[in-house]
Amino acid sequence: MTKELQPYELIERSLIKKYRKQLWNPFVAAVKRYELVGEGDRIAVCISGGKDSMVLAKLMQELHRHSEVPFSLVFLVMDPGYAPENRQQILDNAALLHIPVTVFDTDIFTATCNTDRNPCYLCARMRRGHLYKKAQQLGCNKIALGHHLNDVIETAVMSMFYGAQFQGMIPKLHSKNFPGMELIRPLYCVKEQDIIAWARYHDLHFLQCACRLTARSDEPGASKRQEVKELIRTLKKTNPNIENNIFSSLHSVCLDTLPGYKSRGVAHTFLETYDRAEAPESD
């Protein structure tokens, strides 16, 4: 007699069966390509309650079960001041998906609501700091965030359009303020549309945004990102490969063709090597 699978088991199976090509394969590819998980790592998977962090948690669970590399996980939920119903939705979804979460409280929303100077940036910085601190207290050496491929390419386009520079979002980075801690982005190669498809297939409902400031119209960050998201979506109609092209370009920057660039905070110009033998000669 065949055992009837529980809802969470069906969800887990879909990650490595039905959505293997869209979710599991690019997730594993990022972990291997960028060397995100190492032997003995203790990783805090940070869960905000949205679709991205939830699918990240499930993928990390599956990796932990099947990986030959020994590592451990903590599923960390930081409550920055959610409304009770939003916090409960996170807990309910975690229970449904069989994710054993560790919850801790902060007063970030209160702090950011009392400032008019870029509250979204301040909130992000404060969230990151609290997550690092709590993860370190729990014996972790890494935190995993749910940034996906679309976050990566949108950040690059936004930096050109609105920041007058070409700046990316790398798959991992060392913390400057918490020695020994590292941030990793295992969804780096996963597309947002595939996460949405997975959630809809299982009729899963996650938090969209529980921030108290979402109704404010004077905070430019979210609106500019939405503009870029819409632009890429429009361009995709005539160039279906545009997302992959932007993503690949971040891995193929030709410094010899640029008039200037920055490395470790130091600005450089093409004139530094222009008259040397190794300077490019093609025109």
Side-chain angles (χ1 to χ4, degrees):
M1 183 175 179
T2 304
K3 175 189 174 183
E4 183 178 354
L5 296 179
Q6 295 297 313
Y8 79 93
E9 293 175 312
L10 292 171
I11 291 170
E12 291 171 350
R13 174 172 289 189
S14 74
L15 290 174
I16 56 177
K17 295 289 186 179
K18 182 176 178 62
Y19 289 95
R20 186 179 189 87
K21 181 178 179 181
Q22 298 92 336
L23 296 177
W24 178 252
N25 286 351
F27 163 74
V28 172
V31 169
K32 292 182 177 179
R33 180 178 186 180
Y34 307 119
E35 301 177 355
L36 301 183
V37 177
E39 182 175 348
D41 280 345
R42 183 167 173 79
I43 303 170
V45 181
C46 301
I47 298 175
S48 65
K51 66 185 188 318
D52 306 328
S53 62
M54 284 294 189
V55 76
L56 171 63
K58 292 308 296 179
L59 287 167
M60 291 297 288
Q61 269 188 332
E62 287 300 304
L63 182 67
H64 182 254
R65 289 174 185 147
H66 301 294
S67 177
E68 297 179 356
V69 177
F71 69 95
S72 59
L73 296 171
V74 174
F75 299 97
L76 202 55
V77 175
M78 181 193 66
D79 186 340
Y82 290 134
E85 59 270 22
N86 289 328
R87 176 173 174 138
Q88 190 59 49
Q89 184 178 0
I90 295 175
L91 297 178
D92 290 345
N93 279 329
L96 171 66
L97 297 174
H98 273 223
I99 302 172
V101 295
T102 298
V103 184
F104 71 103
D105 299 315
T106 69
D107 60 352
I108 290 176
F109 280 177
T110 300
T112 54
C113 280
N114 292 329
T115 180
D116 292 324
R117 186 176 181 181
N118 205 342
C120 292
Y121 173 77
L122 176 61
C123 181
R125 288 293 299 269
M126 292 180 68
R127 281 172 176 261
R128 188 81 53 89
H130 280 288
L131 289 169
Y132 271 128
K133 183 177 180 180
K134 185 63 176 181
Q136 200 169 51
Q137 290 174 352
L138 294 173
C140 299
N141 64 309
K142 294 179 179 178
I143 64 172
L145 300 185
H147 298 120
H148 47 63
L149 182 146
N150 294 84
D151 291 321
V152 175
I153 65 175
E154 289 162 12
T155 296
V157 174
M158 285 178 65
S159 73
M160 288 189 290
F161 286 9
Y162 304 110
Q165 60 182 336
F166 186 70
Q167 182 172 313
M169 176 190 288
I170 58 177
K172 62 181 181 181
L173 66 156
H174 294 290
S175 172
K176 294 180 180 179
N177 299 318
F178 295 86
M181 294 294 294
E182 192 174 5
L183 182 154
I184 61 173
R185 298 183 169 108
L187 298 184
Y188 201 81
C189 299
V190 176
K191 292 183 178 179
E192 183 178 28
Q193 66 191 36
D194 295 322
I195 299 174
I196 294 173
W198 169 80
R200 286 177 175 170
Y201 178 76
H202 292 290
D203 195 28
L204 297 172
H205 301 280
F206 302 117
L207 288 186
Q208 295 297 316
C209 182
C211 178
R212 298 177 188 172
L213 300 172
T214 50
R216 290 178 54 161
S217 60
D218 59 342
E219 183 60 30
S223 61
K224 296 305 180 186
R225 181 170 291 276
Q226 189 60 37
E227 284 181 18
V228 169
K229 189 182 292 288
E230 291 296 332
L231 173 62
I232 294 175
R233 185 178 294 121
T234 299
L235 294 173
K236 191 176 178 180
K237 295 177 182 178
T238 55
N239 181 3
N241 208 39
I242 190 166
E243 292 174 337
N244 293 333
N245 287 345
I246 298 173
F247 185 74
S248 295
S249 72
L250 291 168
H251 296 74
S252 305
V253 177
C254 302
L255 290 182
D256 288 340
T257 67
L258 299 180
Y261 66 94
K262 287 183 178 180
S263 178
R264 300 185 182 278
V266 179
H268 298 272
T269 171
F270 80 105
L271 293 173
E272 294 174 11
T273 59
Y274 181 72
D275 290 322
R276 298 178 186 173
E278 65 269 23
E281 298 179 356
S282 63
D283 57 6

PDB file of all heavy atoms in Angstrom, residues 90-118:
ATOM      1  N   ILE A  90       3.532  34.014   9.337  1.00  0.00           N
ATOM      2  CA  ILE A  90       4.869  33.438   9.189  1.00  0.00           C
ATOM      3  C   ILE A  90       4.963  32.126   9.959  1.00  0.00           C
ATOM      4  O   ILE A  90       5.468  31.119   9.440  1.00  0.00           O
ATOM      5  CB  ILE A  90       5.939  34.427   9.689  1.00  0.00           C
ATOM      6  CG1 ILE A  90       5.962  35.689   8.819  1.00  0.00           C
ATOM      7  CG2 ILE A  90       7.321  33.763   9.677  1.00  0.00           C
ATOM      8  CD1 ILE A  90       6.904  36.764   9.319  1.00  0.00           C
ATOM      9  N   LEU A  91       4.480  32.126  11.182  1.00  0.00           N
ATOM     10  CA  LEU A  91       4.542  30.923  12.004  1.00  0.00           C
ATOM     11  C   LEU A  91       3.688  29.802  11.423  1.00  0.00           C
ATOM     12  O   LEU A  91       4.089  28.627  11.434  1.00  0.00           O
ATOM     13  CB  LEU A  91       4.089  31.246  13.430  1.00  0.00           C
ATOM     14  CG  LEU A  91       4.957  32.249  14.200  1.00  0.00           C
ATOM     15  CD1 LEU A  91       4.367  32.521  15.580  1.00  0.00           C
ATOM     16  CD2 LEU A  91       6.385  31.742  14.325  1.00  0.00           C
ATOM     17  N   ASP A  92       2.522  30.155  10.890  1.00  0.00           N
ATOM     18  CA  ASP A  92       1.645  29.148  10.295  1.00  0.00           C
ATOM     19  C   ASP A  92       2.282  28.530   9.056  1.00  0.00           C
ATOM     20  O   ASP A  92       2.228  27.306   8.850  1.00  0.00           O
ATOM     21  CB  ASP A  92       0.290  29.762   9.929  1.00  0.00           C
ATOM     22  CG  ASP A  92      -0.551  30.117  11.150  1.00  0.00           C
ATOM     23  OD1 ASP A  92      -0.225  29.629  12.257  1.00  0.00           O
ATOM     24  OD2 ASP A  92      -1.514  30.894  11.000  1.00  0.00           O
ATOM     25  N   ASN A  93       2.883  29.358   8.227  1.00  0.00           N
ATOM     26  CA  ASN A  93       3.543  28.849   7.024  1.00  0.00           C
ATOM     27  C   ASN A  93       4.748  27.978   7.379  1.00  0.00           C
ATOM     28  O   ASN A  93       5.004  26.955   6.735  1.00  0.00           O
ATOM     29  CB  ASN A  93       3.981  30.002   6.124  1.00  0.00           C
ATOM     30  CG  ASN A  93       2.847  30.538   5.269  1.00  0.00           C
ATOM     31  OD1 ASN A  93       1.943  29.794   4.883  1.00  0.00           O
ATOM     32  ND2 ASN A  93       2.879  31.820   4.971  1.00  0.00           N
ATOM     33  N   ALA A  94       5.492  28.389   8.392  1.00  0.00           N
ATOM     34  CA  ALA A  94       6.641  27.597   8.826  1.00  0.00           C
ATOM     35  C   ALA A  94       6.186  26.227   9.315  1.00  0.00           C
ATOM     36  O   ALA A  94       6.820  25.199   9.010  1.00  0.00           O
ATOM     37  CB  ALA A  94       7.404  28.330   9.926  1.00  0.00           C
ATOM     38  N   ALA A  95       5.071  26.199  10.042  1.00  0.00           N
ATOM     39  CA  ALA A  95       4.540  24.924  10.523  1.00  0.00           C
ATOM     40  C   ALA A  95       4.065  24.061   9.362  1.00  0.00           C
ATOM     41  O   ALA A  95       4.318  22.851   9.318  1.00  0.00           O
ATOM     42  CB  ALA A  95       3.399  25.179  11.509  1.00  0.00           C
ATOM     43  N   LEU A  96       3.374  24.685   8.404  1.00  0.00           N
ATOM     44  CA  LEU A  96       2.878  23.959   7.234  1.00  0.00           C
ATOM     45  C   LEU A  96       4.027  23.332   6.447  1.00  0.00           C
ATOM     46  O   LEU A  96       3.940  22.195   5.980  1.00  0.00           O
ATOM     47  CB  LEU A  96       2.087  24.911   6.336  1.00  0.00           C
ATOM     48  CG  LEU A  96       1.670  24.383   4.962  1.00  0.00           C
ATOM     49  CD1 LEU A  96       0.668  23.234   5.115  1.00  0.00           C
ATOM     50  CD2 LEU A  96       1.079  25.498   4.111  1.00  0.00           C
ATOM     51  N   LEU A  97       5.120  24.084   6.316  1.00  0.00           N
ATOM     52  CA  LEU A  97       6.257  23.632   5.522  1.00  0.00           C
ATOM     53  C   LEU A  97       7.265  22.820   6.331  1.00  0.00           C
ATOM     54  O   LEU A  97       8.292  22.394   5.804  1.00  0.00           O
ATOM     55  CB  LEU A  97       6.966  24.844   4.906  1.00  0.00           C
ATOM     56  CG  LEU A  97       6.127  25.673   3.923  1.00  0.00           C
ATOM     57  CD1 LEU A  97       6.879  26.927   3.498  1.00  0.00           C
ATOM     58  CD2 LEU A  97       5.741  24.857   2.705  1.00  0.00           C
ATOM     59  N   HIS A  98       6.971  22.605   7.622  1.00  0.00           N
ATOM     60  CA  HIS A  98       7.870  21.867   8.512  1.00  0.00           C
ATOM     61  C   HIS A  98       9.252  22.523   8.572  1.00  0.00           C
ATOM     62  O   HIS A  98      10.285  21.871   8.410  1.00  0.00           O
ATOM     63  CB  HIS A  98       7.981  20.403   8.083  1.00  0.00           C
ATOM     64  CG  HIS A  98       6.904  19.555   8.675  1.00  0.00           C
ATOM     65  ND1 HIS A  98       7.133  18.301   9.194  1.00  0.00           N
ATOM     66  CD2 HIS A  98       5.566  19.784   8.837  1.00  0.00           C
ATOM     67  CE1 HIS A  98       5.995  17.785   9.641  1.00  0.00           C
ATOM     68  NE2 HIS A  98       5.035  18.676   9.440  1.00  0.00           N
ATOM     69  N   ILE A  99       9.249  23.826   8.822  1.00  0.00           N
ATOM     70  CA  ILE A  99      10.479  24.581   9.015  1.00  0.00           C
ATOM     71  C   ILE A  99      10.552  24.961  10.496  1.00  0.00           C
ATOM     72  O   ILE A  99       9.735  25.754  10.974  1.00  0.00           O
ATOM     73  CB  ILE A  99      10.514  25.861   8.154  1.00  0.00           C
ATOM     74  CG1 ILE A  99      10.362  25.507   6.675  1.00  0.00           C
ATOM     75  CG2 ILE A  99      11.799  26.633   8.393  1.00  0.00           C
ATOM     76  CD1 ILE A  99      10.189  26.717   5.780  1.00  0.00           C
ATOM     77  N   PRO A 100      11.510  24.410  11.246  1.00  0.00           N
ATOM     78  CA  PRO A 100      11.611  24.698  12.687  1.00  0.00           C
ATOM     79  C   PRO A 100      12.274  26.046  12.947  1.00  0.00           C
ATOM     80  O   PRO A 100      13.500  26.152  13.011  1.00  0.00           O
ATOM     81  CB  PRO A 100      12.476  23.541  13.200  1.00  0.00           C
ATOM     82  CG  PRO A 100      13.347  23.190  12.036  1.00  0.00           C
ATOM     83  CD  PRO A 100      12.519  23.427  10.804  1.00  0.00           C
ATOM     84  N   VAL A 101      11.476  27.087  13.076  1.00  0.00           N
ATOM     85  CA  VAL A 101      12.020  28.438  13.152  1.00  0.00           C
ATOM     86  C   VAL A 101      12.397  28.840  14.575  1.00  0.00           C
ATOM     87  O   VAL A 101      11.803  28.383  15.550  1.00  0.00           O
ATOM     88  CB  VAL A 101      11.028  29.470  12.577  1.00  0.00           C
ATOM     89  CG1 VAL A 101      10.814  29.238  11.095  1.00  0.00           C
ATOM     90  CG2 VAL A 101       9.708  29.446  13.328  1.00  0.00           C
ATOM     91  N   THR A 102      13.396  29.713  14.652  1.00  0.00           N
ATOM     92  CA  THR A 102      13.788  30.393  15.887  1.00  0.00           C
ATOM     93  C   THR A 102      13.421  31.858  15.715  1.00  0.00           C
ATOM     94  O   THR A 102      13.906  32.519  14.790  1.00  0.00           O
ATOM     95  CB  THR A 102      15.296  30.254  16.141  1.00  0.00           C
ATOM     96  OG1 THR A 102      15.625  28.877  16.311  1.00  0.00           O
ATOM     97  CG2 THR A 102      15.711  31.041  17.380  1.00  0.00           C
ATOM     98  N   VAL A 103      12.536  32.375  16.569  1.00  0.00           N
ATOM     99  CA  VAL A 103      12.028  33.735  16.438  1.00  0.00           C
ATOM    100  C   VAL A 103      12.650  34.629  17.510  1.00  0.00           C
ATOM    101  O   VAL A 103      12.769  34.226  18.668  1.00  0.00           O
ATOM    102  CB  VAL A 103      10.496  33.770  16.563  1.00  0.00           C
ATOM    103  CG1 VAL A 103       9.965  35.179  16.325  1.00  0.00           C
ATOM    104  CG2 VAL A 103       9.852  32.784  15.594  1.00  0.00           C
ATOM    105  N   PHE A 104      13.044  35.842  17.110  1.00  0.00           N
ATOM    106  CA  PHE A 104      13.483  36.828  18.093  1.00  0.00           C
ATOM    107  C   PHE A 104      12.928  38.193  17.724  1.00  0.00           C
ATOM    108  O   PHE A 104      12.650  38.470  16.556  1.00  0.00           O
ATOM    109  CB  PHE A 104      15.009  36.849  18.223  1.00  0.00           C
ATOM    110  CG  PHE A 104      15.741  37.432  17.044  1.00  0.00           C
ATOM    111  CD1 PHE A 104      16.269  38.722  17.091  1.00  0.00           C
ATOM    112  CD2 PHE A 104      15.931  36.691  15.877  1.00  0.00           C
ATOM    113  CE1 PHE A 104      16.956  39.265  16.020  1.00  0.00           C
ATOM    114  CE2 PHE A 104      16.628  37.218  14.804  1.00  0.00           C
ATOM    115  CZ  PHE A 104      17.139  38.513  14.870  1.00  0.00           C
ATOM    116  N   ASP A 105      12.745  39.042  18.715  1.00  0.00           N
ATOM    117  CA  ASP A 105      12.076  40.331  18.531  1.00  0.00           C
ATOM    118  C   ASP A 105      13.065  41.498  18.506  1.00  0.00           C
ATOM    119  O   ASP A 105      14.084  41.477  19.193  1.00  0.00           O
ATOM    120  CB  ASP A 105      11.075  40.570  19.665  1.00  0.00           C
ATOM    121  CG  ASP A 105       9.989  39.507  19.708  1.00  0.00           C
ATOM    122  OD1 ASP A 105       9.459  39.180  18.636  1.00  0.00           O
ATOM    123  OD2 ASP A 105       9.684  39.005  20.815  1.00  0.00           O
ATOM    124  N   THR A 106      12.718  42.510  17.711  1.00  0.00           N
ATOM    125  CA  THR A 106      13.456  43.775  17.683  1.00  0.00           C
ATOM    126  C   THR A 106      12.430  44.906  17.587  1.00  0.00           C
ATOM    127  O   THR A 106      11.235  44.662  17.386  1.00  0.00           O
ATOM    128  CB  THR A 106      14.417  43.859  16.480  1.00  0.00           C
ATOM    129  OG1 THR A 106      13.648  43.967  15.267  1.00  0.00           O
ATOM    130  CG2 THR A 106      15.332  42.645  16.407  1.00  0.00           C
ATOM    131  N   ASP A 107      12.903  46.140  17.673  1.00  0.00           N
ATOM    132  CA  ASP A 107      12.002  47.295  17.556  1.00  0.00           C
ATOM    133  C   ASP A 107      12.360  48.127  16.318  1.00  0.00           C
ATOM    134  O   ASP A 107      12.245  49.351  16.327  1.00  0.00           O
ATOM    135  CB  ASP A 107      12.062  48.152  18.815  1.00  0.00           C
ATOM    136  CG  ASP A 107      13.461  48.703  19.082  1.00  0.00           C
ATOM    137  OD1 ASP A 107      14.413  48.289  18.379  1.00  0.00           O
ATOM    138  OD2 ASP A 107      13.604  49.539  19.988  1.00  0.00           O
ATOM    139  N   ILE A 108      12.771  47.475  15.255  1.00  0.00           N
ATOM    140  CA  ILE A 108      13.244  48.171  14.061  1.00  0.00           C
ATOM    141  C   ILE A 108      12.169  49.056  13.448  1.00  0.00           C
ATOM    142  O   ILE A 108      12.440  50.200  13.066  1.00  0.00           O
ATOM    143  CB  ILE A 108      13.767  47.158  13.022  1.00  0.00           C
ATOM    144  CG1 ILE A 108      15.066  46.528  13.521  1.00  0.00           C
ATOM    145  CG2 ILE A 108      13.998  47.829  11.671  1.00  0.00           C
ATOM    146  CD1 ILE A 108      15.619  45.458  12.618  1.00  0.00           C
ATOM    147  N   PHE A 109      10.938  48.565  13.345  1.00  0.00           N
ATOM    148  CA  PHE A 109       9.879  49.375  12.738  1.00  0.00           C
ATOM    149  C   PHE A 109       9.657  50.668  13.507  1.00  0.00           C
ATOM    150  O   PHE A 109       9.441  51.729  12.927  1.00  0.00           O
ATOM    151  CB  PHE A 109       8.575  48.579  12.668  1.00  0.00           C
ATOM    152  CG  PHE A 109       8.516  47.604  11.514  1.00  0.00           C
ATOM    153  CD1 PHE A 109       7.420  46.768  11.369  1.00  0.00           C
ATOM    154  CD2 PHE A 109       9.531  47.529  10.580  1.00  0.00           C
ATOM    155  CE1 PHE A 109       7.352  45.876  10.312  1.00  0.00           C
ATOM    156  CE2 PHE A 109       9.479  46.632   9.520  1.00  0.00           C
ATOM    157  CZ  PHE A 109       8.381  45.795   9.382  1.00  0.00           C
ATOM    158  N   THR A 110       9.726  50.595  14.833  1.00  0.00           N
ATOM    159  CA  THR A 110       9.556  51.793  15.648  1.00  0.00           C
ATOM    160  C   THR A 110      10.660  52.796  15.375  1.00  0.00           C
ATOM    161  O   THR A 110      10.410  54.002  15.220  1.00  0.00           O
ATOM    162  CB  THR A 110       9.545  51.433  17.143  1.00  0.00           C
ATOM    163  OG1 THR A 110       8.466  50.539  17.414  1.00  0.00           O
ATOM    164  CG2 THR A 110       9.401  52.678  17.997  1.00  0.00           C
ATOM    165  N   ALA A 111      11.882  52.315  15.285  1.00  0.00           N
ATOM    166  CA  ALA A 111      13.029  53.194  15.036  1.00  0.00           C
ATOM    167  C   ALA A 111      12.949  53.843  13.662  1.00  0.00           C
ATOM    168  O   ALA A 111      13.212  55.038  13.514  1.00  0.00           O
ATOM    169  CB  ALA A 111      14.327  52.401  15.176  1.00  0.00           C
ATOM    170  N   THR A 112      12.577  53.064  12.638  1.00  0.00           N
ATOM    171  CA  THR A 112      12.564  53.604  11.277  1.00  0.00           C
ATOM    172  C   THR A 112      11.356  54.498  11.023  1.00  0.00           C
ATOM    173  O   THR A 112      11.406  55.378  10.158  1.00  0.00           O
ATOM    174  CB  THR A 112      12.577  52.462  10.237  1.00  0.00           C
ATOM    175  OG1 THR A 112      11.504  51.553  10.509  1.00  0.00           O
ATOM    176  CG2 THR A 112      13.890  51.708  10.290  1.00  0.00           C
ATOM    177  N   CYS A 113      10.295  54.293  11.760  1.00  0.00           N
ATOM    178  CA  CYS A 113       9.121  55.153  11.594  1.00  0.00           C
ATOM    179  C   CYS A 113       9.364  56.553  12.149  1.00  0.00           C
ATOM    180  O   CYS A 113       8.629  57.491  11.834  1.00  0.00           O
ATOM    181  CB  CYS A 113       7.902  54.543  12.293  1.00  0.00           C
ATOM    182  SG  CYS A 113       7.096  53.238  11.341  1.00  0.00           S
ATOM    183  N   ASN A 114      10.383  56.695  12.967  1.00  0.00           N
ATOM    184  CA  ASN A 114      10.681  57.986  13.595  1.00  0.00           C
ATOM    185  C   ASN A 114      11.731  58.780  12.833  1.00  0.00           C
ATOM    186  O   ASN A 114      12.280  59.738  13.352  1.00  0.00           O
ATOM    187  CB  ASN A 114      11.148  57.770  15.040  1.00  0.00           C
ATOM    188  CG  ASN A 114      10.024  57.259  15.928  1.00  0.00           C
ATOM    189  OD1 ASN A 114       8.859  57.578  15.709  1.00  0.00           O
ATOM    190  ND2 ASN A 114      10.377  56.451  16.922  1.00  0.00           N
ATOM    191  N   THR A 115      12.013  58.379  11.583  1.00  0.00           N
ATOM    192  CA  THR A 115      12.969  59.124  10.778  1.00  0.00           C
ATOM    193  C   THR A 115      12.376  59.394   9.408  1.00  0.00           C
ATOM    194  O   THR A 115      11.598  58.592   8.882  1.00  0.00           O
ATOM    195  CB  THR A 115      14.296  58.347  10.618  1.00  0.00           C
ATOM    196  OG1 THR A 115      15.203  59.130   9.825  1.00  0.00           O
ATOM    197  CG2 THR A 115      14.079  56.998   9.950  1.00  0.00           C
ATOM    198  N   ASP A 116      12.718  60.525   8.835  1.00  0.00           N
ATOM    199  CA  ASP A 116      12.267  60.867   7.486  1.00  0.00           C
ATOM    200  C   ASP A 116      13.388  60.697   6.473  1.00  0.00           C
ATOM    201  O   ASP A 116      13.199  60.932   5.281  1.00  0.00           O
ATOM    202  CB  ASP A 116      11.778  62.331   7.438  1.00  0.00           C
ATOM    203  CG  ASP A 116      10.497  62.519   8.237  1.00  0.00           C
ATOM    204  OD1 ASP A 116       9.673  61.587   8.230  1.00  0.00           O
ATOM    205  OD2 ASP A 116      10.337  63.590   8.854  1.00  0.00           O
ATOM    206  N   ARG A 117      14.554  60.283   6.933  1.00  0.00           N
ATOM    207  CA  ARG A 117      15.709  60.193   6.047  1.00  0.00           C
ATOM    208  C   ARG A 117      15.926  58.742   5.603  1.00  0.00           C
ATOM    209  O   ARG A 117      16.487  57.934   6.317  1.00  0.00           O
ATOM    210  CB  ARG A 117      16.958  60.721   6.767  1.00  0.00           C
ATOM    211  CG  ARG A 117      18.181  60.794   5.866  1.00  0.00           C
ATOM    212  CD  ARG A 117      19.341  61.424   6.607  1.00  0.00           C
ATOM    213  NE  ARG A 117      20.507  61.525   5.755  1.00  0.00           N
ATOM    214  CZ  ARG A 117      21.684  62.029   6.140  1.00  0.00           C
ATOM    215  NH1 ARG A 117      21.806  62.487   7.376  1.00  0.00           N
ATOM    216  NH2 ARG A 117      22.686  62.086   5.305  1.00  0.00           N
ATOM    217  N   ASN A 118      15.432  58.403   4.425  1.00  0.00           N
ATOM    218  CA  ASN A 118      15.617  57.092   3.810  1.00  0.00           C
ATOM    219  C   ASN A 118      15.351  55.950   4.798  1.00  0.00           C
ATOM    220  O   ASN A 118      16.254  55.161   5.116  1.00  0.00           O
ATOM    221  CB  ASN A 118      17.042  56.984   3.260  1.00  0.00           C
ATOM    222  CG  ASN A 118      17.132  55.966   2.129  1.00  0.00           C
ATOM    223  OD1 ASN A 118      16.250  55.130   1.972  1.00  0.00           O
ATOM    224  ND2 ASN A 118      18.200  56.041   1.360  1.00  0.00           N
TER     225      ASN A 118
END
